Amino acid sequence: FHVCEVECGGSILVIMDISLPPAGRPGGKARLQSFLFLRQCEELLYGSTAGSYTGALHAAVKNMGLESSLRVMEKTTALEVMEPDEWANLMDVYTTMRRRHDPLCGPAKRFTILPVSLAASLALTRRHRDMLVALGRKAPRKWDAEDKHAELAQQGCTDFNVEAVLEEPEDCVSPYC
């Protein structure tokens, strides 16, 4: 597997490329996919603090109907899809990430990961620009237009191009709209 650390606001987002078989498909061919730690995503998107876990992100994923995308990684199941040294390295990455926020946290026995694509959807839903950028996505044009509109309103000004973007329909959830 491969680990990439990316600045995300005032934090470091850990992105892992791991070769795993498809979830829920026994015997499926493993393929390289990018994942994030669920715990870190919850901290960034929902503001949970070190040492606490609210379950808000898990509930949001469940409401989206994508709960099967979450992967619980623990030694017994992980060793079915990766080598023992890879598992040990992955646990080190998780522990290092956790100790950045909570230096007193103990060693973990398991953790949950989620695909980067799902994390990007959640970042869009939560309007988390820093996470979108860290994941290599662009913030929707409407977000920039809302910021510009607020700035111009303080000055008592109007920009008709900004107003046109604000009037565009909201039906597009892609960060490229």
Side-chain angles (χ1 to χ4, degrees), residues 112-153:
T112 303
I113 57 176
L114 69 154
V116 164
S117 56
L118 178 54
S121 294
L122 291 164
L124 273 170
T125 302
R126 298 289 300 176
R127 297 182 62 96
H128 199 291
R129 183 184 306 267
D130 290 339
M131 184 179 276
L132 282 173
V133 171
L135 295 174
R137 310 299 203 284
K138 291 182 182 179
R141 289 176 17 149
K142 203 165 224 171
W143 292 5
D144 293 330
E146 289 168 352
D147 293 345
K148 186 69 174 173
H149 176 77
E151 178 185 319
L152 290 171

Side-chain angles (χ1 to χ4, degrees), residues 24-132:
R25 294 191 181 144
K29 184 178 177 183
R31 61 189 172 99
L32 197 63
Q33 191 174 359
S34 296
F35 293 92
L36 301 177
F37 293 115
L38 181 130
R39 184 73 177 253
Q40 186 178 34
C41 284
E42 181 168 300
E43 289 171 358
L44 291 168
L45 294 174
Y46 292 88
S48 61
T49 58
S52 69
Y53 174 71
T54 66
L57 190 137
H58 193 270
V61 170
K62 188 175 184 177
N63 288 339
M64 294 171 79
L66 297 172
E67 192 173 21
S68 63
S69 299
L70 301 177
R71 307 283 292 259
V72 177
M73 301 294 287
E74 52 191 347
K75 189 172 186 174
T76 55
T77 56
L79 292 179
E80 294 173 8
V81 295
M82 62 179 51
E83 297 298 319
D85 61 328
E86 288 179 309
W87 169 248
N89 290 338
L90 191 55
M91 285 301 297
D92 287 343
V93 169
Y94 180 75
T95 302
T96 300
M97 180 273 303
R98 291 295 309 133
R99 288 192 175 145
R100 280 189 189 126
H101 299 283
D102 182 7
L104 301 176
C105 78
K109 292 184 173 54
R110 68 185 190 136
F111 53 84
T112 303
I113 57 176
L114 69 154
V116 164
S117 56
L118 178 54
S121 294
L122 291 164
L124 273 170
T125 302
R126 298 289 300 176
R127 297 182 62 96
H128 199 291
R129 183 184 306 267
D130 290 339
M131 184 179 276
L132 282 173

Side-chain angles (χ1 to χ4, degrees), residues 1-4 15-19 32-35 116:
F1 72 96
H2 176 263
V3 176
C4 178
I15 303 171
M16 303 151 295
D17 295 329
I18 306 173
S19 184
L32 197 63
Q33 191 174 359
S34 296
F35 293 92
V116 164

